[in-house]
Amino acid sequence: MKTQNLQFDDICRLLEDDSAEELYALADGITRETKGDMVNVRAIIEFSNYCNRNCSYCGLNCHNTTLGRYRMTPEEIIATAIEASDAGYKTVVIQGGEDPWFTTDIYCHIIKEIKSKRDIAITLSAGEMREEDYSAIRKAGCDRYLLKHETTDENIYKKLHPGYNVEDRLNCLRVLKRLGFETGGGFMIGLPEQTIETIANDLLFIQSVPCDMAGIGPFIPHPETPLKEAGQGSTELTRRAVAIARILLPNINLPATTSLGVIDKDERNKVFSGGANVIMKKVTPEKYRELYEIYPVNHGKIKSIAEERAEINELLASIGKEWD
Ligand code: 5AD
């Protein structure tokens, strides 16, 4: 298979192939060539669950009045990032809803403070902004920005985000790339009305930017959202999409997404031998964790950042991986 040149029809065929072992083996071979056995473990701080947006799949959407809202202070965010660095993390992902309390100046302050105290890569994931805001954040020292495009299909996007426009979303990713961010896109598998063709277009969009990272995860219905009755996304189809992303973009960073792990830990672990090379670990303070409920999660017993990091290292060792 001449790989990076996969065309739309090839991608559809691979997504539909029920015996995908060959696909996974090919993706794994490429991952070994470009990444070795190394998995990058990233700390994620979920800093605010206030959100202005109305995404109909997400438990944080502004119409969900049953959710207790929280917002960490800049000092708490900075202190958590430092604790994560001291526990061995080399990247911290600062993620929250589109919360207008956090102005560009505040983001810049948080980024500069963390950078002045620790040598750690910073990813911000805080939604759509104007180019001038992204630019200021980049100048403040932010290395990466994560903004999943969710779907490239105009009609599906409109239904899921009434009043918003897919072109604006896709354009944010192009702007981020132009400003020199390591740019993370991504999408969900199993959204209502999504087809194989939709997913093929999502993959080709990621390649076209080109994104440096892509989070591809199954949709999980949340009971307090308009999509509560919708079916959950397929883990198998998710793994195929991840494998194809690896083939399209050999050097891209591909997380084994949290939502995949929430549905099935074994499926999440399998994706590390089918293209994935990143995992994100929550370091959000315990008192907030349950409130960052994008989709329902059983958090189990929450331990210290250092203990949880040690557990991830053990998991990776058990599947024959190294970590950084
Ligand atoms: N199921 C799976 N993933 C979801 N996200 C939001 N809601 C859901 C859901 N119900 C993902 C989106 C978003 C990221 C933070 O979480 O892709 O970008």
Side-chain angles (χ1 to χ4, degrees):
M1 210 181 319
K2 203 48 203 142
T3 51
Q4 274 120 286
N5 301 325
L6 284 182
Q7 305 293 311
F8 180 82
D9 290 345
D10 305 320
I11 297 172
C12 291
R13 193 169 37 75
L14 288 170
L15 286 168
E16 278 169 328
D17 186 356
D18 284 330
S19 51
E21 292 314 316
E22 229 177 294
L23 169 66
Y24 299 138
L26 182 60
D28 194 38
I30 297 169
T31 313
R32 281 168 192 285
E33 269 176 41
T34 56
K35 312 283 178 188
D37 283 322
M38 193 63 74
V39 171
N40 296 114
V41 188
R42 323 251 208 232
I44 177 163
I45 304 173
E46 298 152 326
F47 68 87
S48 170
N49 72 353
Y50 282 89
C51 192
N52 268 342
R53 302 271 301 225
N54 58 357
C55 311
S56 61
Y57 43 83
C58 182
L60 309 189
N61 87 73
C62 60
H63 301 301
N64 181 4
T65 53
T66 66
L67 182 67
R69 302 279 171 169
Y70 75 92
R71 140 180 328 129
M72 290 170 69
T73 64
E75 289 64 37
E76 273 180 298
I77 299 169
I78 295 159
T80 307
I82 288 169
E83 196 181 336
S85 170
D86 294 345
Y89 288 99
K90 296 193 177 138
T91 299
V92 66
V93 182
I94 300 175
Q95 184 181 83
E98 290 195 8
D99 177 353
W101 189 89
F102 285 89
T103 59
T104 298
D105 283 349
I106 293 176
Y107 287 130
C108 290
H109 165 73
I110 293 167
I111 291 158
K112 284 183 190 155
E113 282 296 304
I114 295 170
K115 285 283 186 179
S116 73
K117 293 184 163 72
R118 291 294 184 280
D119 182 16
I120 191 167
I122 300 179
T123 304
L124 188 64
S125 178
E128 291 180 32
M129 296 183 191
R130 297 170 306 176
E131 174 160 352
E132 61 205 85
D133 298 311
Y134 285 146
S135 175
I137 285 163
R138 174 85 187 117
K139 289 199 181 107
C142 189
D143 305 277
R144 307 182 181 138
Y145 201 98
L146 174 58
L147 181 83
K148 296 201 197 181
H149 67 270
E150 316 298 2
T151 179
T152 44
D153 184 283
E154 191 182 335
N155 292 319
I156 298 177
Y157 193 92
K158 269 218 176 81
K159 283 189 190 163
L160 296 177
H161 314 94
Y164 293 94
N165 187 325
V166 74
E167 255 325 298
D168 292 340
R169 186 97 181 159
L170 303 184
N171 206 41
C172 283
L173 285 165
R174 299 183 187 112
V175 166
L176 288 162
K177 183 80 191 179
R178 176 153 44 76
L179 292 171
F181 283 95
E182 277 189 44
T183 302
F187 54 94
M188 279 174 278
I189 299 283
L191 293 170
E193 296 182 46
Q194 184 185 57
T195 63
I196 291 294
E197 286 74 19
T198 324
I199 299 172
N201 282 325
D202 287 325
L203 286 162
L204 287 169
F205 171 72
I206 295 280
Q207 188 187 36
S208 77
V209 174
C211 289
D212 302 287
M213 190 270 217
I216 303 171
F219 161 71
I220 301 174
H222 185 295
E224 299 294 338
T225 64
L227 293 192
K228 62 181 173 214
E229 308 287 354
Q232 156 180 300
S234 153
T235 57
E236 177 72 34
L237 193 52
T238 303
R239 288 204 286 128
R240 285 181 217 156
V242 172
I244 296 165
R246 170 62 63 212
I247 294 167
L248 288 169
L249 290 157
N251 289 299
I252 195 173
N253 285 319
L254 292 171
T257 42
T258 311
S259 62
L260 187 57
V262 165
I263 295 180
D264 187 333
K265 286 244 159 26
D266 288 335
E267 287 289 291
R268 198 258 332 262
N269 296 345
K270 275 190 218 161
V271 84
F272 285 114
S273 38
N277 71 310
V278 172
I279 188 162
M280 289 197 199
K281 184 74 194 155
K282 290 174 195 265
V283 297
T284 310
E286 177 165 8
K287 59 184 172 198
Y288 304 128
R289 266 203 218 179
E290 282 198 350
L291 295 173
Y292 199 76
E293 199 187 59
I294 293 176
Y295 40 74
V297 179
N298 176 4
H299 292 279
K301 186 167 164 31
I302 296 172
K303 301 183 186 148
S304 73
I305 292 178
E307 283 172 293
E308 292 189 346
R309 173 64 208 235
E311 284 179 357
I312 279 281
N313 294 352
E314 265 171 48
L315 166 80
L316 292 170
S318 77
I319 57 172
K321 291 288 181 181
E322 295 162 19
W323 55 84
D324 191 28

mmCIF file of all heavy atoms in Angstrom, residues 42 122-124 134 138 142-149 169-186 205-206 209-215 249 252-253:
data_model
loop_
_atom_site.group_PDB
_atom_site.id
_atom_site.type_symbol
_atom_site.label_atom_id
_atom_site.label_comp_id
_atom_site.label_asym_id
_atom_site.label_seq_id
_atom_site.Cartn_x
_atom_site.Cartn_y
_atom_site.Cartn_z
ATOM 1 N N ARG A 42 0.769 12.923 28.796
ATOM 2 C CA ARG A 42 0.513 14.353 29.009
ATOM 3 C C ARG A 42 -0.451 14.547 30.180
ATOM 4 O O ARG A 42 -1.436 13.816 30.296
ATOM 5 C CB ARG A 42 -0.153 14.970 27.779
ATOM 6 C CG ARG A 42 0.347 14.406 26.457
ATOM 7 C CD ARG A 42 1.180 15.421 25.734
ATOM 8 N NE ARG A 42 1.130 15.248 24.309
ATOM 9 C CZ ARG A 42 2.225 15.154 23.535
ATOM 10 N NH1 ARG A 42 3.418 15.186 24.072
ATOM 11 N NH2 ARG A 42 2.107 15.042 22.238
ATOM 12 N N ILE A 122 3.454 23.584 26.997
ATOM 13 C CA ILE A 122 2.076 23.929 27.366
ATOM 14 C C ILE A 122 1.165 23.822 26.147
ATOM 15 O O ILE A 122 1.443 24.402 25.092
ATOM 16 C CB ILE A 122 1.977 25.355 27.952
ATOM 17 C CG1 ILE A 122 2.850 25.465 29.215
ATOM 18 C CG2 ILE A 122 0.525 25.710 28.276
ATOM 19 C CD1 ILE A 122 2.831 26.850 29.851
ATOM 20 N N THR A 123 0.095 23.080 26.331
ATOM 21 C CA THR A 123 -0.979 23.023 25.334
ATOM 22 C C THR A 123 -2.181 23.728 25.941
ATOM 23 O O THR A 123 -2.589 23.396 27.061
ATOM 24 C CB THR A 123 -1.392 21.559 25.051
ATOM 25 O OG1 THR A 123 -0.255 20.811 24.656
ATOM 26 C CG2 THR A 123 -2.454 21.488 23.974
ATOM 27 N N LEU A 124 -2.744 24.677 25.227
ATOM 28 C CA LEU A 124 -4.007 25.260 25.672
ATOM 29 C C LEU A 124 -5.133 24.655 24.846
ATOM 30 O O LEU A 124 -4.978 24.396 23.646
ATOM 31 C CB LEU A 124 -3.984 26.787 25.523
ATOM 32 C CG LEU A 124 -5.186 27.523 26.138
ATOM 33 C CD1 LEU A 124 -5.242 27.345 27.660
ATOM 34 C CD2 LEU A 124 -5.150 29.017 25.809
ATOM 35 N N TYR A 134 -5.256 34.200 19.690
ATOM 36 C CA TYR A 134 -4.349 33.061 19.509
ATOM 37 C C TYR A 134 -2.909 33.557 19.385
ATOM 38 O O TYR A 134 -1.985 32.978 19.944
ATOM 39 C CB TYR A 134 -4.719 32.269 18.254
ATOM 40 C CG TYR A 134 -5.943 31.379 18.351
ATOM 41 C CD1 TYR A 134 -6.779 31.191 17.244
ATOM 42 C CD2 TYR A 134 -6.234 30.668 19.522
ATOM 43 C CE1 TYR A 134 -7.877 30.340 17.301
ATOM 44 C CE2 TYR A 134 -7.340 29.814 19.581
ATOM 45 C CZ TYR A 134 -8.162 29.648 18.462
ATOM 46 O OH TYR A 134 -9.242 28.808 18.515
ATOM 47 N N ARG A 138 0.264 32.634 21.771
ATOM 48 C CA ARG A 138 1.471 32.035 21.186
ATOM 49 C C ARG A 138 2.705 32.834 21.607
ATOM 50 O O ARG A 138 3.717 32.267 22.022
ATOM 51 C CB ARG A 138 1.339 32.013 19.656
ATOM 52 C CG ARG A 138 2.550 31.549 18.920
ATOM 53 C CD ARG A 138 2.622 30.038 18.790
ATOM 54 N NE ARG A 138 3.893 29.643 18.216
ATOM 55 C CZ ARG A 138 4.811 28.908 18.834
ATOM 56 N NH1 ARG A 138 4.585 28.437 20.044
ATOM 57 N NH2 ARG A 138 5.941 28.615 18.250
ATOM 58 N N CYS A 142 2.942 29.819 24.649
ATOM 59 C CA CYS A 142 2.152 28.590 24.511
ATOM 60 C C CYS A 142 2.662 27.795 23.295
ATOM 61 O O CYS A 142 2.822 28.352 22.212
ATOM 62 C CB CYS A 142 0.680 28.960 24.335
ATOM 63 S SG CYS A 142 -0.419 27.551 24.413
ATOM 64 N N ASP A 143 2.936 26.518 23.501
ATOM 65 C CA ASP A 143 3.554 25.706 22.445
ATOM 66 C C ASP A 143 2.541 25.079 21.506
ATOM 67 O O ASP A 143 2.805 24.900 20.325
ATOM 68 C CB ASP A 143 4.351 24.564 23.086
ATOM 69 C CG ASP A 143 5.370 25.088 24.076
ATOM 70 O OD1 ASP A 143 6.448 25.482 23.629
ATOM 71 O OD2 ASP A 143 5.068 25.123 25.297
ATOM 72 N N ARG A 144 1.406 24.680 22.086
ATOM 73 C CA ARG A 144 0.464 23.872 21.306
ATOM 74 C C ARG A 144 -0.959 24.339 21.597
ATOM 75 O O ARG A 144 -1.218 24.922 22.656
ATOM 76 C CB ARG A 144 0.567 22.398 21.714
ATOM 77 C CG ARG A 144 1.986 21.876 21.657
ATOM 78 C CD ARG A 144 2.049 20.398 22.013
ATOM 79 N NE ARG A 144 3.415 19.948 21.975
ATOM 80 C CZ ARG A 144 3.992 19.134 22.872
ATOM 81 N NH1 ARG A 144 3.289 18.664 23.882
ATOM 82 N NH2 ARG A 144 5.251 18.784 22.747
ATOM 83 N N TYR A 145 -1.847 24.046 20.660
ATOM 84 C CA TYR A 145 -3.264 24.359 20.899
ATOM 85 C C TYR A 145 -4.095 23.193 20.395
ATOM 86 O O TYR A 145 -3.875 22.689 19.298
ATOM 87 C CB TYR A 145 -3.678 25.648 20.181
ATOM 88 C CG TYR A 145 -4.919 26.262 20.804
ATOM 89 C CD1 TYR A 145 -4.818 27.297 21.731
ATOM 90 C CD2 TYR A 145 -6.193 25.771 20.488
ATOM 91 C CE1 TYR A 145 -5.957 27.847 22.325
ATOM 92 C CE2 TYR A 145 -7.333 26.320 21.087
ATOM 93 C CZ TYR A 145 -7.200 27.359 22.001
ATOM 94 O OH TYR A 145 -8.319 27.896 22.595
ATOM 95 N N LEU A 146 -5.036 22.782 21.227
ATOM 96 C CA LEU A 146 -5.899 21.653 20.879
ATOM 97 C C LEU A 146 -7.327 22.145 20.678
ATOM 98 O O LEU A 146 -7.924 22.734 21.579
ATOM 99 C CB LEU A 146 -5.846 20.616 22.009
ATOM 100 C CG LEU A 146 -6.786 19.420 21.933
ATOM 101 C CD1 LEU A 146 -6.578 18.620 20.658
ATOM 102 C CD2 LEU A 146 -6.580 18.512 23.148
ATOM 103 N N LEU A 147 -7.827 21.948 19.488
ATOM 104 C CA LEU A 147 -9.202 22.350 19.167
ATOM 105 C C LEU A 147 -9.769 21.289 18.223
ATOM 106 O O LEU A 147 -9.540 21.324 17.019
ATOM 107 C CB LEU A 147 -9.214 23.719 18.474
ATOM 108 C CG LEU A 147 -10.605 24.245 18.118
ATOM 109 C CD1 LEU A 147 -11.236 24.936 19.329
ATOM 110 C CD2 LEU A 147 -10.545 25.238 16.956
ATOM 111 N N LYS A 148 -10.476 20.334 18.807
ATOM 112 C CA LYS A 148 -11.018 19.295 17.922
ATOM 113 C C LYS A 148 -12.063 19.929 17.011
ATOM 114 O O LYS A 148 -12.874 20.739 17.467
ATOM 115 C CB LYS A 148 -11.642 18.182 18.760
ATOM 116 C CG LYS A 148 -10.615 17.463 19.624
ATOM 117 C CD LYS A 148 -11.132 16.111 20.026
ATOM 118 C CE LYS A 148 -10.358 15.556 21.197
ATOM 119 N NZ LYS A 148 -10.858 14.230 21.578
ATOM 120 N N HIS A 149 -12.021 19.547 15.740
ATOM 121 C CA HIS A 149 -13.004 20.160 14.832
ATOM 122 C C HIS A 149 -14.355 19.451 14.946
ATOM 123 O O HIS A 149 -15.358 19.971 14.524
ATOM 124 C CB HIS A 149 -12.474 20.206 13.400
ATOM 125 C CG HIS A 149 -12.298 18.881 12.750
ATOM 126 N ND1 HIS A 149 -11.122 18.179 12.826
ATOM 127 C CD2 HIS A 149 -13.150 18.126 12.022
ATOM 128 C CE1 HIS A 149 -11.268 17.042 12.149
ATOM 129 N NE2 HIS A 149 -12.481 16.985 11.660
ATOM 130 N N ARG A 169 -14.758 26.951 12.484
ATOM 131 C CA ARG A 169 -14.013 25.986 13.290
ATOM 132 C C ARG A 169 -12.756 25.508 12.544
ATOM 133 O O ARG A 169 -11.662 25.516 13.083
ATOM 134 C CB ARG A 169 -14.931 24.792 13.582
ATOM 135 C CG ARG A 169 -14.343 23.783 14.535
ATOM 136 C CD ARG A 169 -14.844 24.043 15.906
ATOM 137 N NE ARG A 169 -14.367 23.185 16.931
ATOM 138 C CZ ARG A 169 -14.410 23.548 18.217
ATOM 139 N NH1 ARG A 169 -14.867 24.735 18.564
ATOM 140 N NH2 ARG A 169 -13.996 22.729 19.156
ATOM 141 N N LEU A 170 -12.976 25.089 11.307
ATOM 142 C CA LEU A 170 -11.853 24.565 10.529
ATOM 143 C C LEU A 170 -10.808 25.660 10.326
ATOM 144 O O LEU A 170 -9.601 25.415 10.376
ATOM 145 C CB LEU A 170 -12.334 24.038 9.167
ATOM 146 C CG LEU A 170 -13.427 22.949 9.213
ATOM 147 C CD1 LEU A 170 -13.737 22.462 7.793
ATOM 148 C CD2 LEU A 170 -13.030 21.767 10.091
ATOM 149 N N ASN A 171 -11.292 26.879 10.154
ATOM 150 C CA ASN A 171 -10.363 27.979 9.930
ATOM 151 C C ASN A 171 -9.500 28.261 11.152
ATOM 152 O O ASN A 171 -8.332 28.620 11.018
ATOM 153 C CB ASN A 171 -11.124 29.228 9.490
ATOM 154 C CG ASN A 171 -10.226 30.123 8.677
ATOM 155 O OD1 ASN A 171 -9.451 29.641 7.843
ATOM 156 N ND2 ASN A 171 -10.263 31.413 8.970
ATOM 157 N N CYS A 172 -10.067 28.078 12.355
ATOM 158 C CA CYS A 172 -9.254 28.249 13.571
ATOM 159 C C CYS A 172 -8.025 27.359 13.515
ATOM 160 O O CYS A 172 -6.918 27.774 13.870
ATOM 161 C CB CYS A 172 -10.069 27.891 14.818
ATOM 162 S SG CYS A 172 -11.237 29.159 15.324
ATOM 163 N N LEU A 173 -8.194 26.124 13.055
ATOM 164 C CA LEU A 173 -7.060 25.200 13.005
ATOM 165 C C LEU A 173 -6.009 25.674 12.005
ATOM 166 O O LEU A 173 -4.808 25.603 12.269
ATOM 167 C CB LEU A 173 -7.539 23.783 12.672
ATOM 168 C CG LEU A 173 -8.220 23.077 13.854
ATOM 169 C CD1 LEU A 173 -8.988 21.851 13.395
ATOM 170 C CD2 LEU A 173 -7.196 22.680 14.911
ATOM 171 N N ARG A 174 -6.486 26.203 10.893
ATOM 172 C CA ARG A 174 -5.536 26.704 9.889
ATOM 173 C C ARG A 174 -4.767 27.903 10.449
ATOM 174 O O ARG A 174 -3.559 28.055 10.240
ATOM 175 C CB ARG A 174 -6.268 27.091 8.603
ATOM 176 C CG ARG A 174 -6.990 25.897 7.950
ATOM 177 C CD ARG A 174 -7.657 26.282 6.631
ATOM 178 N NE ARG A 174 -8.467 25.198 6.111
ATOM 179 C CZ ARG A 174 -9.806 25.194 6.023
ATOM 180 N NH1 ARG A 174 -10.520 26.262 6.408
ATOM 181 N NH2 ARG A 174 -10.440 24.156 5.528
ATOM 182 N N VAL A 175 -5.484 28.776 11.171
ATOM 183 C CA VAL A 175 -4.849 29.956 11.777
ATOM 184 C C VAL A 175 -3.816 29.517 12.817
ATOM 185 O O VAL A 175 -2.676 30.014 12.835
ATOM 186 C CB VAL A 175 -5.922 30.869 12.423
ATOM 187 C CG1 VAL A 175 -5.291 31.910 13.333
ATOM 188 C CG2 VAL A 175 -6.774 31.536 11.344
ATOM 189 N N LEU A 176 -4.192 28.571 13.666
ATOM 190 C CA LEU A 176 -3.269 28.094 14.708
ATOM 191 C C LEU A 176 -1.990 27.547 14.084
ATOM 192 O O LEU A 176 -0.886 27.815 14.554
ATOM 193 C CB LEU A 176 -3.957 27.008 15.548
ATOM 194 C CG LEU A 176 -5.062 27.527 16.483
ATOM 195 C CD1 LEU A 176 -5.970 26.380 16.930
ATOM 196 C CD2 LEU A 176 -4.457 28.219 17.707
ATOM 197 N N LYS A 177 -2.164 26.807 13.018
ATOM 198 C CA LYS A 177 -1.008 26.225 12.321
ATOM 199 C C LYS A 177 -0.114 27.351 11.780
ATOM 200 O O LYS A 177 1.102 27.338 11.945
ATOM 201 C CB LYS A 177 -1.520 25.335 11.186
ATOM 202 C CG LYS A 177 -0.468 24.608 10.422
ATOM 203 C CD LYS A 177 0.013 23.364 11.153
ATOM 204 C CE LYS A 177 1.266 22.804 10.493
ATOM 205 N NZ LYS A 177 1.774 21.618 11.170
ATOM 206 N N ARG A 178 -0.739 28.331 11.164
ATOM 207 C CA ARG A 178 0.011 29.456 10.585
ATOM 208 C C ARG A 178 0.765 30.240 11.654
ATOM 209 O O ARG A 178 1.860 30.757 11.422
ATOM 210 C CB ARG A 178 -0.964 30.359 9.803
ATOM 211 C CG ARG A 178 -0.369 31.610 9.212
ATOM 212 C CD ARG A 178 -1.125 32.098 7.987
ATOM 213 N NE ARG A 178 -2.576 32.090 8.105
ATOM 214 C CZ ARG A 178 -3.298 32.983 8.792
ATOM 215 N NH1 ARG A 178 -2.702 33.963 9.452
ATOM 216 N NH2 ARG A 178 -4.624 32.895 8.822
ATOM 217 N N LEU A 179 0.189 30.326 12.863
ATOM 218 C CA LEU A 179 0.831 31.081 13.937
ATOM 219 C C LEU A 179 1.967 30.304 14.587
ATOM 220 O O LEU A 179 2.635 30.806 15.497
ATOM 221 C CB LEU A 179 -0.208 31.464 15.002
ATOM 222 C CG LEU A 179 -1.257 32.490 14.568
ATOM 223 C CD1 LEU A 179 -2.351 32.620 15.630
ATOM 224 C CD2 LEU A 179 -0.607 33.853 14.306
ATOM 225 N N GLY A 180 2.176 29.067 14.147
ATOM 226 C CA GLY A 180 3.315 28.302 14.653
ATOM 227 C C GLY A 180 3.017 27.410 15.840
ATOM 228 O O GLY A 180 3.939 26.871 16.454
ATOM 229 N N PHE A 181 1.749 27.271 16.177
ATOM 230 C CA PHE A 181 1.399 26.301 17.221
ATOM 231 C C PHE A 181 1.578 24.885 16.675
ATOM 232 O O PHE A 181 1.288 24.643 15.486
ATOM 233 C CB PHE A 181 -0.086 26.415 17.596
ATOM 234 C CG PHE A 181 -0.450 27.567 18.466
ATOM 235 C CD1 PHE A 181 -0.925 28.750 17.893
ATOM 236 C CD2 PHE A 181 -0.362 27.484 19.842
ATOM 237 C CE1 PHE A 181 -1.293 29.829 18.689
ATOM 238 C CE2 PHE A 181 -0.740 28.555 20.646
ATOM 239 C CZ PHE A 181 -1.207 29.731 20.071
ATOM 240 N N GLU A 182 1.983 23.950 17.519
ATOM 241 C CA GLU A 182 1.728 22.549 17.213
ATOM 242 C C GLU A 182 0.219 22.399 17.368
ATOM 243 O O GLU A 182 -0.341 22.687 18.429
ATOM 244 C CB GLU A 182 2.462 21.633 18.191
ATOM 245 C CG GLU A 182 3.907 21.404 17.812
ATOM 246 C CD GLU A 182 4.543 20.325 18.658
ATOM 247 O OE1 GLU A 182 3.921 19.272 18.879
ATOM 248 O OE2 GLU A 182 5.662 20.561 19.119
ATOM 249 N N THR A 183 -0.414 21.989 16.293
ATOM 250 C CA THR A 183 -1.856 22.135 16.194
ATOM 251 C C THR A 183 -2.562 20.787 16.325
ATOM 252 O O THR A 183 -2.266 19.858 15.575
ATOM 253 C CB THR A 183 -2.185 22.784 14.839
ATOM 254 O OG1 THR A 183 -1.511 24.045 14.780
ATOM 255 C CG2 THR A 183 -3.669 23.004 14.668
ATOM 256 N N GLY A 184 -3.482 20.730 17.274
ATOM 257 C CA GLY A 184 -4.222 19.487 17.486
ATOM 258 C C GLY A 184 -5.661 19.626 17.035
ATOM 259 O O GLY A 184 -6.381 20.519 17.477
ATOM 260 N N GLY A 185 -6.066 18.744 16.133
ATOM 261 C CA GLY A 185 -7.477 18.668 15.730
ATOM 262 C C GLY A 185 -8.057 17.367 16.252
ATOM 263 O O GLY A 185 -7.507 16.749 17.161
ATOM 264 N N GLY A 186 -9.157 16.986 15.656
ATOM 265 C CA GLY A 186 -9.744 15.704 16.054
ATOM 266 C C GLY A 186 -11.243 15.701 15.893
ATOM 267 O O GLY A 186 -11.849 16.742 15.621
ATOM 268 N N PHE A 205 -9.178 15.994 6.156
ATOM 269 C CA PHE A 205 -9.032 17.364 6.669
ATOM 270 C C PHE A 205 -7.815 17.457 7.592
ATOM 271 O O PHE A 205 -7.001 18.387 7.470
ATOM 272 C CB PHE A 205 -10.295 17.827 7.400
ATOM 273 C CG PHE A 205 -10.071 19.133 8.102
ATOM 274 C CD1 PHE A 205 -9.944 20.309 7.374
ATOM 275 C CD2 PHE A 205 -9.899 19.179 9.482
ATOM 276 C CE1 PHE A 205 -9.667 21.524 8.015
ATOM 277 C CE2 PHE A 205 -9.622 20.381 10.122
ATOM 278 C CZ PHE A 205 -9.512 21.544 9.382
ATOM 279 N N ILE A 206 -7.685 16.503 8.501
ATOM 280 C CA ILE A 206 -6.535 16.476 9.421
ATOM 281 C C ILE A 206 -5.235 16.494 8.615
ATOM 282 O O ILE A 206 -4.283 17.197 8.941
ATOM 283 C CB ILE A 206 -6.579 15.196 10.299
ATOM 284 C CG1 ILE A 206 -7.801 15.196 11.222
ATOM 285 C CG2 ILE A 206 -5.283 14.998 11.073
ATOM 286 C CD1 ILE A 206 -7.681 16.013 12.455
ATOM 287 N N VAL A 209 -4.431 20.106 6.922
ATOM 288 C CA VAL A 209 -3.997 21.298 7.694
ATOM 289 C C VAL A 209 -2.478 21.499 7.633
ATOM 290 O O VAL A 209 -2.034 22.621 7.309
ATOM 291 C CB VAL A 209 -4.530 21.212 9.145
ATOM 292 C CG1 VAL A 209 -3.963 22.352 9.998
ATOM 293 C CG2 VAL A 209 -6.066 21.292 9.153
ATOM 294 N N PRO A 210 -1.550 20.580 7.784
ATOM 295 C CA PRO A 210 -1.753 19.304 8.428
ATOM 296 C C PRO A 210 -1.670 19.457 9.951
ATOM 297 O O PRO A 210 -0.857 20.224 10.451
ATOM 298 C CB PRO A 210 -0.569 18.479 7.912
ATOM 299 C CG PRO A 210 0.520 19.486 7.656
ATOM 300 C CD PRO A 210 -0.151 20.793 7.350
ATOM 301 N N CYS A 211 -2.499 18.702 10.662
ATOM 302 C CA CYS A 211 -2.449 18.751 12.122
ATOM 303 C C CYS A 211 -1.216 18.003 12.624
ATOM 304 O O CYS A 211 -0.758 17.046 12.008
ATOM 305 C CB CYS A 211 -3.704 18.112 12.714
ATOM 306 S SG CYS A 211 -5.184 19.110 12.457
ATOM 307 N N ASP A 212 -0.693 18.481 13.757
ATOM 308 C CA ASP A 212 0.428 17.800 14.402
ATOM 309 C C ASP A 212 -0.071 16.752 15.379
ATOM 310 O O ASP A 212 0.695 15.921 15.858
ATOM 311 C CB ASP A 212 1.285 18.828 15.159
ATOM 312 C CG ASP A 212 1.783 19.908 14.218
ATOM 313 O OD1 ASP A 212 2.680 19.614 13.418
ATOM 314 O OD2 ASP A 212 1.230 21.033 14.246
ATOM 315 N N MET A 213 -1.342 16.857 15.709
ATOM 316 C CA MET A 213 -1.948 15.932 16.658
ATOM 317 C C MET A 213 -3.412 15.769 16.280
ATOM 318 O O MET A 213 -4.007 16.710 15.737
ATOM 319 C CB MET A 213 -1.814 16.545 18.057
ATOM 320 C CG MET A 213 -2.162 15.650 19.192
ATOM 321 S SD MET A 213 -3.896 15.769 19.630
ATOM 322 C CE MET A 213 -3.783 15.632 21.385
ATOM 323 N N ALA A 214 -3.967 14.589 16.515
ATOM 324 C CA ALA A 214 -5.395 14.394 16.260
ATOM 325 C C ALA A 214 -5.986 13.465 17.311
ATOM 326 O O ALA A 214 -5.540 12.322 17.464
ATOM 327 C CB ALA A 214 -5.634 13.822 14.862
ATOM 328 N N GLY A 215 -6.978 13.975 18.010
ATOM 329 C CA GLY A 215 -7.692 13.175 19.007
ATOM 330 C C GLY A 215 -8.932 12.582 18.360
ATOM 331 O O GLY A 215 -9.838 13.314 17.950
ATOM 332 N N LEU A 249 -0.414 10.390 8.100
ATOM 333 C CA LEU A 249 0.533 11.348 8.683
ATOM 334 C C LEU A 249 1.481 10.593 9.616
ATOM 335 O O LEU A 249 1.255 10.521 10.830
ATOM 336 C CB LEU A 249 -0.227 12.429 9.461
ATOM 337 C CG LEU A 249 -1.038 13.405 8.607
ATOM 338 C CD1 LEU A 249 -2.165 14.044 9.407
ATOM 339 C CD2 LEU A 249 -0.136 14.493 8.031
ATOM 340 N N ILE A 252 2.533 12.252 13.007
ATOM 341 C CA ILE A 252 1.536 12.926 13.851
ATOM 342 C C ILE A 252 1.500 12.299 15.252
ATOM 343 O O ILE A 252 1.891 11.145 15.437
ATOM 344 C CB ILE A 252 0.145 12.841 13.163
ATOM 345 C CG1 ILE A 252 -0.845 13.827 13.784
ATOM 346 C CG2 ILE A 252 -0.390 11.413 13.198
ATOM 347 C CD1 ILE A 252 -2.185 13.910 13.028
ATOM 348 N N ASN A 253 1.068 13.085 16.227
ATOM 349 C CA ASN A 253 0.820 12.547 17.568
ATOM 350 C C ASN A 253 -0.631 12.123 17.674
ATOM 351 O O ASN A 253 -1.542 12.918 17.412
ATOM 352 C CB ASN A 253 1.150 13.595 18.632
ATOM 353 C CG ASN A 253 2.643 13.746 18.805
ATOM 354 O OD1 ASN A 253 3.378 12.754 18.811
ATOM 355 N ND2 ASN A 253 3.108 14.971 18.927
#
